[in-house]
Amino acid sequence: MHLDRRRIDLTVRLQVDMKIVACGASLHQLDAADLDDAVPLLGLQAAAAGEAGERARLLRDLGRLRWRRQGKLLEAARSLEEARTLAPEDEATLLDLGELYSSADYPGGDGLGRAAALFLEEARRREERGEHGQAVALLRRALGADPAGEE
């Protein structure tokens, strides 16, 4: 009974936090015990979201929590990739994925190539919009992630 009450309280806190803070900043302040409950609840909330943009935002927040608070990089990548599929134009998700894949802690040998491709994709978008300085910065990130990259 105590655990059920705690989950209900946490669910209410999550719903309030998600409405108040656009990127879930207050979620990042949860202690470890609450975080262990919050991550699956946030996953359920994302699964239940009806609108693709809202679901993508929740999945991006879930990916950020899994990565930055729990250190679960592969699970984080799956959440962020799903968010990117739902909202392919979302720059924040694309840049989060690039940063995650270029992390020294990311397991697997394909992370740097993926990061470079993501940074290059965003650099092209910014160049098309006339944001030359930001495009150059992203090209540098792409080159730094994968200096021997094909593109």
Side-chain angles (χ1 to χ4, degrees):
M1 179 81 169
H2 174 68
L3 182 59
D4 289 337
R5 177 70 180 151
R6 186 167 174 247
R7 284 180 185 252
I8 291 168
D9 290 345
L10 184 58
T11 302
V12 171
R13 281 180 41 206
L14 275 172
Q15 289 172 348
V16 170
D17 288 347
M18 296 307 286
K19 289 181 176 130
I20 293 173
V21 184
C23 68
S26 62
L27 290 173
H28 297 277
Q29 297 171 359
L30 292 174
D31 62 32
D34 283 345
L35 185 64
D36 288 341
D37 287 337
V39 167
L41 291 171
L42 187 56
L44 289 172
Q45 192 173 5
E51 193 263 320
E54 175 68 6
R55 185 167 183 221
R57 185 185 65 75
L58 291 166
L59 285 166
R60 185 182 65 230
D61 288 345
L62 179 61
R64 287 174 175 172
L65 284 173
R66 285 178 168 160
W67 170 24
R68 295 186 176 130
R69 290 291 308 275
Q70 292 185 316
K72 295 180 179 180
L73 280 66
L74 292 174
E75 289 179 27
R78 282 192 291 274
S79 295
L80 291 168
E81 285 289 357
E82 188 176 350
R84 185 167 181 252
T85 300
L86 292 167
E89 301 299 317
D90 182 56
E91 296 172 8
T93 300
L94 188 140
L95 293 174
D96 279 347
L97 267 170
E99 190 177 333
L100 172 66
Y101 286 143
S102 64
S103 167
D105 297 327
Y106 186 77
D110 61 343
L112 294 177
R114 285 178 171 188
L118 291 165
F119 292 141
L120 185 59
E121 179 182 333
E122 186 58 26
R124 287 182 178 139
R125 288 181 189 170
R126 304 242 176 139
E127 181 63 28
E128 288 173 3
R129 291 193 311 243
E131 299 171 6
H132 306 297
Q134 292 177 356
V136 169
L138 285 162
L139 288 172
R140 287 186 179 135
R141 287 182 79 179
L143 187 59
D146 190 12
E150 295 178 22
E151 294 187 56

